[in-house]
Amino acid sequence: MTHVSVPDAPPGVHRIGLTGGIGSGKSTVGKIWAREGHHVIDLDALSRAVLDQPGDGLEEAIAYFGEEYRDSATGTADRAALAALVFNDSRARAELEEIVHRHLWAEVARLEKDLAETMAAGASLLVVHDSPLLFELGHDAHYEAIVVVLTPEGERIDRVVRERGKTREYVEGVIRAQVSDKERQARGDVFIDNAGAPEGLETRADAALASARRLIRDRLHALE
């Protein structure tokens, strides 16, 4: 996995990482928080936008890989062709990841800068990064608190097969490529149990965010 330098948060902006394995319900938690008015940046959506929307990232990728990797109908990247290219070519995969991640983090920096400019002098602001590969990318140190959504593996597989139309083999392959829940528990700070029926998830999500806030506050006080 290519590692791109992650920009520091602007002064006064405190980052909370939100992560979890495929099918855990992490994105649902992020949507709950966003609906409640919290600042949530979806890193997965931003990474897809680099190739799916006109912009510098798309043009850089096309310039590197060639016009044959542009979808003639949409003008954006031909994802199927790129996927076929990088599947067995680690160098091409690393280059594509570097392009996507660099433009992703440039956009994150822009969004956080815009948020920071709305803050009153001396104020602080919490920003949540919905990051599916937070631990896989080794980005732990860039967050002041990390919230992990945990769901039993069997439920996760069933959920993705049912809701996204993926095969069990596909989901199991993704799970093997990601860190284990045991490692997530070792590296995370606050945990949301999302096993079983969805009732009560909003309450648990809000409690987890409050815990993350307290953790950041306590850590900041310890540094004073």
Side-chain angles (χ1 to χ4, degrees):
M1 186 73 71
T2 300
H3 292 274
V4 173
S5 177
V6 176
D8 293 332
V13 171
H14 302 286
R15 289 175 177 162
I16 293 176
L18 170 64
T19 194
I22 184 172
S24 64
K26 166 192 61 63
S27 295
T28 302
V29 171
K31 290 174 182 176
I32 289 171
W33 291 344
R35 188 168 63 242
E36 293 173 345
H38 302 293
H39 301 289
V40 179
I41 299 176
D42 186 336
L43 300 193
D44 196 33
L46 289 184
S47 69
R48 292 194 301 271
V50 173
L51 299 177
D52 292 346
Q53 295 180 10
D56 292 343
L58 170 66
E59 296 309 318
E60 183 177 345
I62 296 300
Y64 183 87
F65 293 104
E67 281 293 331
E68 62 268 32
Y69 292 97
R70 190 192 298 274
D71 186 321
S72 59
T74 64
T76 59
D78 184 336
R79 282 190 169 273
L82 280 173
L85 171 68
V86 305
F87 184 75
N88 291 313
D89 187 333
S90 59
R91 182 175 179 181
R93 182 169 59 252
E95 183 63 30
L96 183 62
E97 289 175 349
E98 196 277 335
I99 292 171
V100 169
H101 292 165
R102 181 157 39 78
H103 286 276
L104 154 69
W105 284 105
E107 180 64 8
V108 170
R110 184 191 69 78
L111 291 171
E112 290 184 336
K113 179 175 180 291
D114 288 348
L115 288 171
E117 289 175 351
T118 68
M119 294 161 45
S124 63
L125 185 71
L126 287 179
V127 176
V128 176
H129 286 190
D130 179 343
S131 176
L133 297 178
L134 191 158
F135 292 133
E136 287 81 357
L137 291 169
H139 287 172
D140 312 38
H142 299 286
Y143 297 96
E144 295 177 68
I146 298 174
V147 178
V148 181
V149 183
L150 296 170
T151 304
E153 185 174 304
E155 288 188 38
R156 290 163 55 198
I157 294 171
D158 291 343
R159 185 179 295 167
V160 176
V161 170
R162 181 179 66 252
E163 297 177 1
R164 305 185 201 175
K166 302 294 187 181
T167 65
R168 293 186 65 86
E169 291 75 19
Y170 170 84
V171 184
E172 290 168 352
V174 173
I175 289 174
R176 287 194 298 271
Q178 295 180 336
V179 302
S180 67
D181 274 351
K182 182 177 180 181
E183 184 169 349
R184 291 186 182 100
Q185 289 174 299
R187 295 166 68 177
D189 298 302
V190 180
F191 305 93
I192 299 174
D193 180 0
N194 192 27
E199 287 77 17
L201 178 58
E202 185 169 338
T203 299
R204 297 194 298 276
D206 290 344
L209 186 57
S211 294
R213 286 177 180 272
R214 288 193 297 271
L215 181 61
I216 292 173
R217 181 196 61 206
D218 292 346
R219 287 174 173 174
L220 290 174
H221 286 169
L223 295 174
E224 293 177 352

